[in-house]
Every structure is written in C-alpha cells, then in structure tokens.
Amino acid sequence: MTVRVVVADDQELIRAGLRTVLDARPDLSVVGEAADGVEAVTVATRTRPDVVLMDVRMPRRDGIAATRDLVAAGNPARVVMLTTFDLDEHVYGALRAGASAFLLKDTRPADLAEAVRVVARGEALLAPTVTRRLLDRYADRLPAPAPTADALAVLTAREREVLTLTARALSNAEIAARLHLSTATVKTHVSAILTKLGLRDRIQAVVLAYDTGLVRPEPPVR
C-alpha cells in the first residue's frame, strides 16, 4: 500500500524538498501541500491522507492549532510535527493537540521516510522516555485542558494500572513483568484503553494520564 502524505510548511523550498524525498520512495506519495495551518486543514480534509507533516510555526494558523482542528474534525490522518527545536513547549503543545510524533527539520531523508511509514502503521515514533521528559518539563507550566480524573472512569482497575505504567515510560514487556501478566494481555489492555478513551495512540494515552492527574510530573534531578 502507498502511504499518502500532505506536507504543510510556509517555506516553499522546504515543501519542495520534502516532496522530493518522499515521492522518491515507491511506497510514499505526497498528495497535497499547504503553506499555512488553515490551508493544511483544508487540504487534509479534501485528500484524506494517512500522514500530515506539519510545521509548528506557520502564518494564519500555526501547526498546533491546525492539528487540534484536524483531530476535532475526526480526520484519521496521523500528524507528525516538524520543528527546529528538540525538546520545547511547542513540542509538548503539539502532542497535547493530538500529534503522534515530531521530527527535527534536519532529519536525514532516509529517517524521514521511515518515520512516515512508522506513524502510518499506527506505531509510536517518539520514545516513551522522551515523551515523559517532555511532560515532566512542561505539564505544570501550560494551562490544563478540559479532561479531569472523571475521564478515566470508564477504565477498569487493571486498565488504570496499565495506563499509569505506560505513562511512566514502561514498555509492554516491562509492564507485563511488573503486573505478572503476559505481553499479549498487556497489549490487549492498551488497545482497550485507547478504544475506551477515544485516543489515537500510546503517546496520546500518556498525555491524558498527565492531564488528568493520574501521573504527576517528577521534579528534575539536581
């Protein structure tokens, strides 16, 4: 299957470069481009891509707001944020808005192509440890969204345990060992958590765990 991609960046040269890199792969195809966040939502709504490469900073509507719009509209596209900076509050804001991953703009072409494939498969591109580092750093600094602890009421006690350990950056194998379960059972619990909470992927589950207070940011080690 060919992975359909929309590229959103306010710099035409960057868009052209990304298109060249992706279209050179037989399994990837750029089906649309956008120069700002408003256009990104319009193009993604029309073309229904598998993945949107979204620049963080764009005119009219930035990439974070555009991502939020796509998620709110129920667009199934996975959003990969493009950023010049590594760990900053813009990345955390993007994850909170519904992005599935982020990439630095100096990512090598081969790594960019593989990242698109990984995200299109619904897998996590951002390592749980990196996600947690972001959340520990910024979760208490930015205004909290609407979700409260009540949002987790649909989960069973075991599912809450699994979500807590997921948010603490444990892998499925590590969770299985901690709870004396099989890895397959943990995968089933994670799938149930995502379905019940209406989340796109594991990263969004981690963000929700912080936003609802299930997991608290850890103070930096001095």
Side-chain angles (χ1 to χ4, degrees):
M1 292 181 61
T2 299
V3 177
R4 295 160 49 83
V5 184
V6 164
V7 175
D9 194 290
D10 61 329
Q11 297 185 46
E12 185 175 357
L13 186 61
I14 290 180
R15 294 200 308 274
L18 292 171
R19 176 183 280 276
T20 299
V21 168
L22 297 176
D23 281 345
R25 272 67 180 177
D27 60 330
L28 305 178
S29 176
V30 176
V31 297
E33 295 183 17
D36 58 56
V38 173
E39 190 177 1
V41 174
T42 300
V43 173
T45 299
R46 184 180 72 248
T47 61
R48 307 295 283 185
D50 302 298
V51 176
V52 177
L53 290 180
M54 186 90 74
D55 187 22
V56 171
R57 296 177 177 86
M58 292 188 291
R60 290 212 290 172
R61 197 153 181 79
D62 64 37
I64 295 175
T67 297
R68 192 178 299 113
D69 291 343
L70 285 175
V71 172
N75 193 303
R78 301 288 178 128
V79 177
V80 177
M81 303 302 301
L82 296 172
T83 177
T84 307
F85 306 99
D86 190 350
L87 297 178
D88 68 1
E89 64 185 67
H90 295 288
V91 176
Y92 173 54
L95 294 178
R96 177 182 271 177
S100 295
F102 78 94
L103 288 174
L104 297 178
K105 286 190 175 182
D106 61 359
T107 297
R108 296 186 307 169
D111 293 338
L112 170 67
E114 183 57 25
V116 170
R117 297 186 186 105
V118 169
V119 172
R121 292 196 300 264
E123 299 175 17
L125 178 64
L126 189 61
T129 51
V130 177
T131 305
R132 186 175 180 191
R133 217 159 60 233
L134 278 165
L135 293 167
D136 282 343
R137 182 180 298 183
Y138 294 110
D140 279 348
R141 301 188 191 180
L142 302 180
T148 64
D150 293 340
L152 305 180
V154 295
L155 301 182
T156 65
R158 177 63 84 188
E159 288 166 351
R160 288 174 68 95
E161 284 183 300
V162 171
L163 177 57
T164 299
L165 295 177
T166 298
R168 296 193 185 285
L170 272 66
S171 66
N172 285 348
E174 290 169 333
I175 295 172
R178 180 76 63 89
L179 299 180
H180 305 290
L181 301 171
S182 69
T183 302
T185 298
V186 172
K187 289 182 179 178
T188 298
H189 283 311
V190 171
S191 178
I193 290 167
L194 298 182
T195 299
K196 287 183 177 181
L197 299 178
L199 303 173
R200 293 185 164 206
D201 51 41
R202 193 183 187 98
I203 289 177
Q204 299 309 308
V206 176
V207 173
L208 185 65
Y210 274 78
D211 284 343
T212 57
L214 181 65
V215 175
R216 299 288 184 182
E218 291 191 353
V221 177
R222 297 183 181 280

